[in-house]
Amino acid sequence: MLYVEILGNLPEMAVDEVRAMLELGGGEIAGRDYLFLKVNADEKAFPFLERLGLAHEYGKLLVEADSVEELLNKAKEIEWPIKGTFKVDTETMANCRHEITDLPRKLGAVIHAKGFKVDLSKPDTLVRVYCGEKLYAGIRLRFFDPKDFERRKAHHRPFFRPISLHPRISRALVNLTKARRELLDPMMGAGGILIEAGLIGLKVYGVDIKPEMVEGAEMNLRHYGIRDYVLKLGDATRLEELFDKKFEAIATDPPYGTSATLAGRRREELYREVLESINAVLEPGGRLSIAFPTSFDGEKEAEKVGFRLVGKYYQKVHKSLERYFYVFEK
């Protein structure tokens, strides 16, 4: 059994991102306690869990208990897969209903009695205890350092425009498509979604109607070491004219501006035409992740052209922009 701790800003989107990766890696979510997910999976899921964007960490789940006493008793009975030194670290979630003030010391003593050495400053193994409705203890396998994502935010790239998704969200949009080989962004802008897709080993395809965006996106991809890409100058409403192939996965964040910034088109008209164009180049069974402002009924318009809704997640960006992230399947 494994665990995943998800982030709290878009929790339902985070849960579905984990679910999508487990569908690729051969596993399933076995339970949820606030931001803590119990995961029924083995090592085959690791390469897919490594891709996560909206997660804090994942690890091996060893103990689940209804009380501190039960947790300590179970901890005495199991073999702890600890390499080198260890430290016990607790996570008190918003729904924690147990008194765990002294738990790190008590659990540390149990594990120490089994012959393992404590190192509070630089441990080789971090034992994580989560307090929610229940108590959980496990070994952290992977921490998703926020600094890694922060370093790829728009203003750190060689070419940037201030309006850009956070890299964590871009990564989640890619993962929600369940892409295994490749991904197309037909309105790529400066290439934020393509960067995240390329970093997890996908071949990336991008389209933009503005020459400076095509040049800038290429500059950004190369800056992050991504070489397997195809970028084209073109219109997202005419994708069939640009590609003689169909794609397994498409993710994009269309512009939210007025007709003045959307090549003269009305926004709603552009969105409808883009959905039709995407549908024409997406493989049957393929997935589309896309964002639309709440003023546009993305669900209704996508279903008109043959998409089926898989997920829908609300985000308030600021007082003048509220949007939904959608995941559709063809």
Side-chain angles (χ1 to χ4, degrees), residues 61-192:
L61 179 59
L62 299 170
V63 180
E64 178 180 341
D66 290 310
S67 67
V68 169
E69 184 182 13
E70 184 187 358
L71 183 140
L72 293 172
N73 286 335
K74 285 184 173 181
K76 292 172 186 174
E77 297 166 5
I78 66 168
E79 288 189 23
W80 288 82
I82 290 172
K83 295 177 181 176
T85 58
F86 80 96
K87 172 189 174 183
V88 178
D89 189 28
T90 55
E91 191 72 39
T92 305
M93 296 188 290
N95 65 334
C96 175
R97 62 182 190 88
H98 305 271
E99 176 50 56
I100 61 167
T101 306
D102 207 27
L103 186 52
R105 184 187 64 80
K106 290 178 179 177
L107 180 56
V110 168
I111 299 172
H112 178 67
K114 290 177 173 285
F116 297 106
K117 186 180 177 184
V118 177
D119 183 345
L120 298 179
S121 56
K122 287 189 176 179
D124 300 308
T125 302
L126 193 61
V127 175
R128 292 280 278 157
V129 177
Y130 288 84
C131 178
E133 290 294 318
K134 293 187 174 186
L135 291 166
Y136 310 88
I139 302 287
R140 175 191 279 177
L141 297 176
R142 171 74 152 90
F143 170 61
F144 297 99
D145 192 338
K147 292 176 187 172
D148 291 340
F149 291 97
E150 291 297 317
R151 280 192 284 266
R152 295 196 298 277
K153 286 176 77 171
H155 62 283
H156 292 305
R157 301 170 194 158
F159 175 86
F160 81 95
R161 291 293 182 269
I163 300 170
S164 182
L165 291 176
H166 192 286
R168 281 191 182 272
I169 293 177
S170 293
R171 176 70 63 90
L173 289 179
V174 171
N175 287 332
L176 285 163
T177 68
K178 299 203 291 186
R180 287 178 179 269
R181 307 181 309 275
E182 63 185 16
L183 181 123
L184 166 68
D185 183 347
M187 306 178 89
M188 66 180 172

